[in-house]
Amino acid sequence: MDLTQLEMFNAVAETGSISAAAAKVHRVPSNLTTRIKQLEADLGVELFIRENQRLRLAPAGHSFLSYSKRILALVDEARMAVSGDEPQGTLPLGSLESTAAVRIPGLLAMFNQRFPKIQLSLATGPSGDQIDGVLDGRLSAAFVDGPILHPSLDGIAVYEEEMVIVAPADQDAITDANQVSGVSIYAFRANCSYRRHFESWFHAHHSVPGKIHEMESYHGMLACVIAGAGIALMPLSMLESMPGSHQVSISPLPANWRYLNTWLIWRRGAKTRQLEAFIGLLEQTS
């Protein structure tokens, strides 16, 4: 096994195609095919499931991919450490949509100015998606709702969010879930930590929400609430940033439900030099 094989394996895993991976690593397809088969023989397992002209990761391939990425990242880090150069390379980050929209735009702009050799990318989505991305190596780090209890993850709390119930403008202040029992709610997919928090609040009051409509954005949720079609839960900072926030009634959750911390998480033992630079700047500006 060598670094070239790992680079080829990663390229095939990301593209699902020998030809596309060959173009990415500037090799001929036959060379990739041979080297991937050699890697599988060396490991004694099949890393890919071959279907016609496509390849998708086998269970062993999924496990090996996270290690392969970490090995290559450590090699890059070692090269930079001995060369004395400033951090460079890639830094794929994940984030909750609200954090990406309200909390970190200035931080990302400052990071790009201070570390121009690092290629930072950002993917947004529910906490569950972001945690999976960090665990499987697709993301170096992610902003998610905490606390973080997974044994393979490390992290730091960075922002405190006040959570509020957003309801139609004529709705009286909501202090108990029984007031809105059976009312439709608008939320992200089931792996969204804010959605689970909202559902837990209902259950704690021995109440149940009505139909849960899954949305792709806070703007969509707010539009539905303004139209009188139901209620939603969102961070107050996100709500205040959106046009139309004055067209709804706002009810804070009770004190023991009101505040949630946003964490930056990363895989334990996989803090790269690029990530250390990002964390350092985050701590300076928090």
Side-chain angles (χ1 to χ4, degrees):
M1 184 192 310
D2 58 37
L3 296 179
T4 300
Q5 279 180 312
L6 296 183
E7 291 171 348
M8 291 178 175
F9 166 74
N10 287 5
V12 176
E14 292 169 3
T15 63
S17 163
I18 289 289
S19 58
K24 185 172 184 177
V25 298
H26 308 292
R27 300 287 181 120
V28 296
S30 59
N31 182 237
L32 254 75
T33 299
T34 300
R35 298 301 296 275
I36 292 297
K37 288 181 178 178
Q38 289 173 346
L39 179 60
E40 290 178 318
D42 184 29
L43 294 171
V45 295
E46 288 192 351
L47 298 173
F48 293 99
I49 298 171
R50 292 158 173 86
E51 299 174 331
N52 298 323
Q53 301 300 312
R54 301 292 298 176
L55 286 83
R56 60 185 177 90
L57 285 171
H62 278 288
S63 298
F64 187 69
L65 179 61
S66 64
Y67 288 101
S68 176
K69 288 185 174 181
R70 288 160 61 188
I71 290 168
L72 293 176
L74 284 171
V75 170
D76 286 341
E77 183 179 351
R79 285 173 178 157
M80 288 186 287
V82 298
S83 67
D85 292 338
E86 64 180 288
Q88 57 184 300
T90 61
L91 181 62
L93 295 179
S95 176
L96 299 167
E97 182 184 347
S98 55
T99 305
V102 178
R103 297 292 189 181
I104 62 174
L107 172 66
L108 299 184
M110 187 181 302
F111 184 82
N112 286 330
Q113 291 175 354
R114 188 168 299 184
F115 301 101
K117 292 185 178 181
I118 297 178
Q119 300 173 30
L120 186 150
S121 61
L122 182 68
T124 61
S127 280
D129 288 352
Q130 306 308 316
I131 292 171
D132 289 344
V134 172
L135 288 172
D136 66 26
R138 288 182 288 111
L139 300 173
S140 294
F143 291 96
V144 302
D145 176 41
I148 302 305
L149 304 176
H150 197 288
S152 296
L153 297 174
D154 279 332
I156 52 174
V158 289
Y159 304 116
E160 183 180 70
E161 297 291 357
E162 180 179 0
M163 306 303 296
V164 296
I165 302 171
V166 184
D170 58 358
Q171 171 71 50
D172 293 334
I174 300 170
T175 58
D176 187 289
N178 290 296
Q179 292 176 252
V180 286
S181 180
V183 173
S184 293
I185 68 173
Y186 292 85
F188 291 114
R189 299 188 300 276
N191 61 351
C192 171
S193 57
Y194 291 167
R195 169 174 166 174
R196 293 197 299 270
H197 188 71
F198 202 17
E199 291 179 282
S200 296
W201 175 73
F202 273 94
H203 296 156
H205 288 79
H206 306 290
S207 182
V208 293
K211 182 175 176 60
I212 300 176
H213 301 272
E214 295 187 352
M215 307 291 288
E216 294 298 323
S217 72
Y218 283 113
H219 290 83
M221 294 181 203
L222 181 60
C224 291
V225 172
I226 290 173
I231 62 176
L233 181 75
M234 61 183 69
L236 180 61
S237 60
M238 182 67 200
L239 175 63
E240 291 177 338
S241 74
M242 293 189 291
S245 59
H246 64 285
Q247 296 177 255
V248 295
S249 69
I250 302 170
S251 298
L253 287 175
N256 57 327
W257 293 90
R258 185 177 302 179
Y259 297 99
L260 293 175
N261 285 324
T262 299
W263 285 57
L264 179 71
I265 62 165
W266 56 89
R267 191 177 180 93
R268 183 163 294 166
K271 190 190 291 185
T272 64
R273 196 171 173 206
Q274 298 95 306
L275 179 55
E276 288 179 341
F278 184 80
I279 293 172
L281 185 61
L282 175 62
E283 291 175 338
Q284 290 175 26
T285 57
S286 295

